[in-house]
Amino acid sequence: MPKLNVIVAAAAMAALAALTLPTTTQAQPWPQRPVRFIVGLGPGSAQDIAARLFGDQLSKRWGQPVVIENKPGADGIVAINAFVGAHDLHTLLFAASGTFTAHPTQYAKLPYDPSDLVPLARVSSTIIAVSVPTALNVNSLDELVALARREPGKLNLAPTPGTTEITFDNFMKAANITMTKIPYSDVTKALADLSENRVQVMVSGIAIVKAQIETGKVKLLAITNLKRAAAVPDLPTATEAGYPALALDGLIGLFGPKSLPPGTAERIAADVQAVAADPAMGPRLAATRQQLDPGGTAEFAAAVEAQRQSIAATAKALGIQPVR
């Protein structure tokens, strides 16, 4: 009997120990190792700077380094493929939703599944503006529309492919105007032509034309964002100027894989909002012509989906068909 008692006691202790040890099915804390932010634009871009600013502060909250990897090219698909192909809980995509919400209107067969891009947290909004050469002597959207109506097809437009281009096409249709599109492999290559009035209109992030504005060769007429931006408080929104067809927000945020542990997305969003609460963060982003615009997981997901549906409806109304 004593021997039996010893065996029973040992079995009981083993069972108790098993209950106290973590199992492979138990949720583990996140992150457990360095986190990667894949960015679809190159180093020094506004999006890249925002990723580094937030990454630096989030690494302190997470107790793990945040590494930025720049993967520019192919309308954001290079970055998206790198993110999706990683199959890694610690690899996140730091991107503007406009990078991919227009993809279904451009590609007959996408090289990725859109459901693999799970919105986690909104970080900021790119300030998107309509810019013209100062030599054009146009000071408002009304004046631009009036000129385009007087001279149909004579104004040259440098389009920014994707969501921005589709939105501007929608504006032109609503305003009953036409312009001649001048395609560029990279919209930044249009800057010299814009400065010299060989191209009369560009719609892009303000950061792209910042240097030309400072030299006085280019001016801004309005921003497409839904609300005014602190970095350019005197510029009206397109909607305020009477052209709601030109409304577009440059939503920037973090996207993660579908396999993230339950509650992780909400925790990441809470951490992003905590970092955004730092009084220094807003001015630092404003210097790159972005506006701080943090948002939770559900809110960000709803905004991205609304943009996706809006762009799809606009493309359908314009008769745009995928050509790739």
Side-chain angles (χ1 to χ4, degrees), residues 27-83:
Q28 299 296 313
W30 184 97
Q32 296 176 313
R33 51 188 171 80
V35 177
R36 285 196 301 160
F37 284 1
I38 294 182
V39 180
L41 295 177
S45 64
Q47 197 175 115
D48 171 75
I49 293 170
R52 294 178 189 278
L53 287 174
F54 272 83
D56 180 60
Q57 295 303 311
L58 288 170
S59 69
K60 298 173 183 178
R61 301 184 69 85
W62 293 342
Q64 294 286 353
V66 173
V67 180
I68 308 300
E69 288 191 13
N70 300 93
K71 300 283 187 180
D75 296 336
I77 288 180
V78 172
I80 292 172
N81 282 344
F83 160 68

Side-chain angles (χ1 to χ4, degrees), residues 47 83 92-101 114 116-126 249-257 260 265-266 268-270 272-273 290-309:
Q47 197 175 115
F83 160 68
L92 307 180
L93 179 68
F94 193 102
S97 60
T99 302
F100 57 83
T101 50
D116 286 331
L117 308 182
V118 178
L120 304 180
R122 188 174 62 212
V123 172
S124 62
S125 293
T126 301
D249 252 344
L251 305 172
I252 295 177
L254 281 168
F255 298 81
L260 277 176
E266 289 74 15
I268 291 172
V272 165
Q273 289 173 309
Q290 298 175 73
Q291 50 188 347
L292 192 61
D293 194 17
T297 300
E299 180 187 0
F300 186 39
V304 171
E305 182 57 27
Q307 186 180 84
R308 192 195 310 273
Q309 292 183 13

